[in-house]
Amino acid sequence: MIGISHDRERTALTKFLEAKNLKWLQVLDNLGTQESIARRYGVTSFPTKWLIDRQGHSRQLPRDADLDAEITQALEAKF
C-alpha cells in the first residue's frame, strides 16, 4: 500500500497521518502541476484508488471499493 498525497505542505500531511494512525508509505506529491504524479496518471479527484496486480497491470477502483475484497480477488486470480 502506498499513499500519494497532494498536500502543499508536509506539515498538513504529517498531521493527517498522525491523526489517522496510517502505517503505510506516504509520498508527498507537491512538485507542481507539470511534474506531479497525479497529472502524469490522469488523477482528477481525491481519493483515487489504483490496484496493480502481480503482472503489473493497473486499474482504477471506484471510490467506494472494498479494498480488502479487491486485494483478495487480485491475489487469488490465475495468470
Side-chain angles (χ1 to χ4, degrees), residues 6 29-43:
H6 208 58
D29 179 29
N30 65 350
L31 296 176
T33 58
Q34 294 303 317
E35 298 90 15
S36 80
I37 295 168
R39 181 180 174 115
R40 186 179 308 156
Y41 290 97
V43 174

Side-chain angles (χ1 to χ4, degrees), residues 3-27:
I4 301 173
S5 172
H6 208 58
D7 289 303
R8 293 177 190 254
E9 297 180 10
R10 182 172 301 280
T11 55
L13 173 58
T14 301
K15 287 180 183 179
F16 175 80
L17 294 174
E18 289 172 355
K20 298 294 185 180
N21 198 29
L22 301 178
K23 302 296 184 190
W24 56 74
L25 175 65
Q26 190 73 32
V27 177

Side-chain angles (χ1 to χ4, degrees), residues 4 6 38-39 41-50 60-63:
I4 301 173
H6 208 58
R39 181 180 174 115
Y41 290 97
V43 174
T44 58
S45 65
F46 296 94
T48 298
K49 300 173 187 174
W50 291 81
Q60 189 170 2
L61 300 176
R63 290 180 83 143

